[in-house]
Structures are given as C-alpha cells and as structure tokens.
Amino acid sequence: MSIQVQSTPNPNAMKFTTESMIFEGDNSISVMPGQTSEHKILNDLMELDGVDNVFGFQNFITVNKSIDAEWDSLTPKVEEIINNYGY
C-alpha cells in the first residue's frame, strides 16, 4: 500500500493520505487526549508516544504531535500503524 505524507501549515501536524477509504461517509472523526473512537486505527495512533490528537476523513488522517516530539521518529510509526490496517 502507498501512503502519501504531506506537511500542513501547522508544523506540528502531518497529513497521511491513502489510496483507499479509511472512513466511510461525509463526517470527520477527531480524537483528543483522554478520548477514544469507535475506529481502532485512531485509538492506536493516539497511543503512540508524542501524538497529541488525530483527525480522520475519508482517505486521510492528520496527526498532530506534541511540541517535544520529532517527525523523523514519529512518521514511520504512524505509517506502520496505517499499513498494519491494510491502507
């Protein structure tokens, strides 16, 4: 599977886009600290050290990191989780 990683205007956020749908429908899903989602992929991402919150819509997930986390170490972990779900 192929994941496209894109920076956003926010240096603490990265957009991970897949070739297939992750979330059906027209509603976005976000998970903030202390919350869980019916979507296990978002819960797994929230468990990564350095992830502050996540936002998902159709074929992408935006991951917001904590200020002290580094994208160089966090990006491969995010990609691994998304790949493990077959996206």
Side-chain angles (χ1 to χ4, degrees), residues 23-86:
F23 309 102
E24 298 296 328
D26 293 327
N27 294 326
S28 63
I29 302 106
S30 61
V31 181
M32 304 300 284
Q35 296 178 336
T36 57
S37 170
E38 64 185 45
H39 301 280
K40 188 165 174 12
I41 190 171
L42 296 179
N43 296 332
D44 288 351
L45 290 169
M46 285 296 293
E47 290 179 12
L48 289 175
D49 191 32
V51 171
D52 183 60
N53 64 76
V54 292
F55 171 85
F57 181 71
Q58 295 183 345
N59 69 329
F60 74 86
I61 297 172
T62 299
V63 175
N64 288 278
K65 70 173 187 70
S66 56
I67 293 171
D68 58 339
E70 296 293 332
W71 283 121
D72 287 344
S73 60
L74 193 55
T75 297
K77 295 174 186 174
V78 171
E79 290 178 307
E80 180 181 5
I81 288 175
I82 294 171
N83 281 322
N84 286 346
Y85 278 89

